[in-house]
DNA sequence: CCCCGGCACGATAGCGTTTACACGACTGAC
DNA sequence: GTCAGTCGTGTAAACGCTATCGTGCCGGGG
């Protein structure tokens, strides 16, 4: 049943070595030979055994993507960008979920995986988080997405600046009591979250320190969490007149909370989100738009590059620009 | 650098064969030996080479998931369910996108993949679609999600019945001009879409044939598409008073279209969606809720089962119940 | 006391590729 | 006409594991 390269070689009248070289389009092979071998292979719809190929020292032809979530919009969209590039390059994608702060922290089998893949795509995870169990030490090609780390290639946005500009937009509109809906209390495991908080705080303290008050809510980056957080903010003695949400999904929840209180986003309380979620337009949410799929695609390209270029280039840190899209959810205070 | 099972065996004072058996917990090994070997392996943080293991006749320890989209809510959520089960079973997930009717139809390398994985999870794809290039002929374990096929295990919902009940809900409310927003015109490549259309048509023709009129729009299962489709329906001489959308995302778009026309979903035009999208609650959309993540998890479990049970069980077709959740987007006509 | 079956383990032959290394046949330069 | 240098190809040794046999050993039934 199993047809091997030996069979192909015999039928094409060459040695297995030549067959192997021909199938991989190596340079030192007669074009005529390549054509002959390929023809035989096609006729039998033969494909090399990746296992044997890998064992004999070749590449695995696949990369792993580590992500804390699959179904949340941002991550799913990054993955779609990644997938598209990899499919183009005939490289397989191994999906591994790790780093969800809410989930039981199971150390992902990076060690085992490192045998199975040529490189790693690490999405949003702090590379030194314990759960990544020494991913950094592994000298396999890797690219970080949405995070940075000295000496490791990455593609990310300027979270601090984006958050600062978004918040400043609220300040410029005249808001003084500005709330923040972040992910989780305490030190976030996500670098981006910490950066966004810094950006927010900078903007709020500006132009005159103390001129604005700020309040925090925590929405765990989910819609429901955003709703809960907004409710908490509204329950305070002096609720904020504007709220910056660290993700669109939390902003959606906040919108719902407002509606259930008989309030309208933009009219009663201004809202700014972050991400550029598919539905942000439909809900008229002012938000920081980032080209998420493109980020994933870029990272995938860089990883492929790094894999093929064995030459140890110096790691690049790509920064993708974002833009604030103002919609009707943010307006001057009443 | 590379440490092999031979090293482990030597250090544990056993043969490579015994080491291999010990590491795999086979039955005919002294528990004491297992412990000793495992200890040595742990000390060196050794993991078997999957390539070698596979080559020598074992399993690959991974499965492939074929899906037409990654970032759309339904698919991303199915995947998250799948991933969770597979991670539990220490099985790797290979992600492959194929079957998007809008994308260039590249035949996915099922043949190549079949060398790399122990089984296939096929999400929403009609298994006989040409793009699947003989996946059905491959006698590898496989499970269909959201589709059925004779002789192949599957986990799905009763799309026809669910669509019928959803539409009937609109009829019962008193609506007579009921519109449908489907995916694409012509014969859909998705079995589920065809079934939902049948269910819709049955309900509309009931109780008295001809008592209701129906109009079609096509939204390609996207938010923007839904908006466009709704605009088209509203532009007709006698716009429908209620619309059944084949997905929540299209319903969201339809809502937006209504809003831009100064209309309100539920008051002016009733809307029913399909899926139970995370945001359907926040938008007060009446919808057919299906336990999407659970569907993925169930399918993954079945696949694992099928892989371990070499015994050719007769294929099971699991049907997961859905329920209509009525919210304020559907009300009696004005 | 012998034989047989079950048990824990050892030796070894692959599994299907890739990759040195070797080899002959040309080519052009001297 | 010899010699170094390509070029296209063949030979065979890995690659790291598992599967198939085979080998002692022990205990119990005849």
């Amino acid at each position: 049943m199993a047809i091997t390269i030996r069979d192909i070689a015999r039928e094409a009248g060459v040695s297995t070595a030549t067959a192997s070289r021909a199938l991989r389009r190596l340079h030192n092979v007669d074009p005529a030979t390549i054509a002959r071998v390929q023809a035989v292979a096609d006729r039998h719809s033969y494909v090399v055994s990746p296992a044997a190929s890998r064992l004999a020292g070749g590449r695995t032809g696949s990369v792993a993507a580590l992500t804390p979530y699959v179904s949340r919009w941002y991550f799913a969209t990054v993955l779609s960008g990644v997938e598209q590039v990899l499919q183009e390059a005939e490289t397989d994608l191994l999906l591994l979920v790790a780093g969800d702060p809410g989930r039981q922290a199971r150390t992902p089998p990076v060690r085992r995986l490192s045998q199975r893949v040529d490189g790693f795509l690490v999405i949003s995870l702090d590379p030194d988080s314990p759960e990544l169990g020494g991913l950094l030490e592994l000298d396999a090609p890797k690219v970080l997405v949405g995070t940075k780390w000295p000496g490791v290639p990455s593609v990310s946005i300027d979270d601090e600046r984006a958050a600062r500009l978004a918040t400043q937009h609220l300040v410029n509109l005249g808001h003084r009591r500005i709330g923040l809906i972040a992910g989780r209390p305490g030190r976030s495991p996500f670098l981006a979250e910490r950066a966004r908080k810094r950006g927010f705080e900078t903007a709020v303290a500006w132009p005159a320190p103390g001129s604005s008050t700020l309040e925090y809510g925590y929405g765990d980056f989910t819609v429901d969490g955003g709703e809960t957080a907004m409710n908490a903010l509204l329950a305070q003695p002096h609720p904020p007149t504007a709220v910056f949400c660290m993700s669109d999904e939390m902003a959606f929840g906040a919108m719902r909370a407002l509606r259930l209180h008989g309030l309208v986003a933009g009219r009663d309380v201004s809202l700014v989100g972050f991400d550029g979620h598919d539905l942000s337009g439909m809900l008229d949410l002012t938000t920081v738009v980032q080209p998420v799929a493109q980020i994933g695609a870029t990272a995938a390209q860089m990883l492929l590059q790094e894999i093929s270029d064995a030459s140890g280039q110096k790691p690049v840190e790509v920064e993708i620009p974002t833009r604030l899209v103002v919609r009707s959810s943010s307006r001057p205070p009443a």
Side-chain angles (χ1 to χ4, degrees), chain A:
Chain A
M1 150 158 189
I3 164 165
T4 81
I5 200 176
R6 210 122 36 193
D7 304 320
I8 302 298
R10 185 170 347 105
E11 189 164 333
V14 296
S15 72
T16 64
T18 301
S20 171
R21 286 187 282 244
L23 289 172
R24 281 176 305 149
R25 305 281 124 86
L26 294 195
H27 27 286
N28 275 1
V29 192
D30 185 345
T33 310
I34 291 190
R36 193 152 30 94
V37 173
Q38 189 60 56
V40 177
D42 286 346
R43 181 147 17 99
H44 297 286
S45 70
Y46 160 86
V47 285
V48 303
S49 153
S53 172
R54 158 73 170 137
L55 183 55
R59 310 248 163 281
T60 66
S62 54
V63 307
L66 270 71
T67 173
Y69 310 99
V70 205
S71 57
R72 297 197 184 171
W73 183 83
Y74 173 83
F75 300 93
T77 307
V78 167
L79 283 177
S80 80
V82 167
E83 191 282 334
Q84 212 152 335
V85 169
L86 293 184
Q87 179 151 135
E88 210 68 40
E90 302 206 355
T91 300
D92 293 328
L93 208 208
L94 248 77
L95 193 59
L96 191 69
V97 173
D100 175 356
R103 200 163 163 179
Q104 178 72 6
R106 320 173 83 265
T107 359
V110 275
R111 199 128 241 137
R112 174 164 62 90
L113 267 181
S114 71
Q115 297 255 34
R116 262 176 142 56
V117 300
D118 297 330
F120 292 87
L121 226 33
V122 184
I123 305 177
S124 291
L125 270 39
D126 275 13
D128 72 333
S129 79
E131 322 184 347
L132 256 52
L135 213 212
L136 278 181
E137 278 82 66
L138 245 55
D139 76 332
K142 38 187 171 287
V143 172
L144 267 32
V145 180
T147 336
K148 287 183 182 180
W149 198 258
V152 185
S154 63
V155 25
S156 54
I157 60 173
D158 188 336
D159 285 284
E160 180 165 351
R161 179 168 182 277
R164 179 162 46 76
L165 293 180
T167 311
Q168 219 148 60
H169 162 67
L170 292 172
V171 172
N172 291 344
L173 286 173
H175 292 279
R176 284 305 172 264
R177 285 200 309 281
I178 303 179
L180 171 71
I181 297 187
R184 299 177 155 242
R187 185 174 187 280
S188 167
F190 299 121
L191 194 65
E193 182 174 359
R194 306 200 298 267
R196 289 177 198 177
K197 183 176 287 186
R198 281 198 306 278
F200 170 80
E201 288 170 348
T202 308
V204 164
W206 188 92
S211 74
S212 312
T213 48
L214 48 99
E215 293 139 22
Y216 293 95
Y218 298 98
D220 198 22
F221 290 101
T222 67
V223 177
D224 289 346
E227 184 175 345
T228 309
M230 191 70 202
N231 280 330
L233 290 179
L234 289 175
Q236 299 196 332
H238 293 287
T241 64
V243 175
F244 169 55
C245 304
M246 282 198 184
S247 83
D248 283 351
E249 270 142 319
M250 293 194 294
F252 297 156
M255 273 186 162
R256 178 179 165 81
L258 289 177
R259 225 186 34 234
L260 294 184
H261 280 261
L263 304 173
V264 173
R267 195 193 62 188
D268 305 302
V269 175
S270 283
L271 242 37
V272 174
F274 202 115
D275 275 350
H277 190 290
D278 270 353
L279 289 168
S280 62
M282 116 131 237
L283 291 167
D284 293 318
L285 176 71
T286 295
T287 189
V288 175
V289 173
Q290 47 174 333
V292 183
Q294 183 197 321
I295 288 176
T298 305
Q301 258 146 7
M302 287 171 55
L303 183 58
L304 289 175
Q305 174 72 14
E306 202 180 337
I307 288 172
S308 56
D309 264 40
S311 66
Q313 306 261 4
K314 63 186 168 194
V316 267
E317 300 196 342
V318 174
E319 200 169 275
I320 306 272
T322 60
R323 65 181 212 284
L324 182 70
V325 172
V326 176
R327 291 192 271 242
S328 65
S329 76
S330 62
R331 288 203 299 236

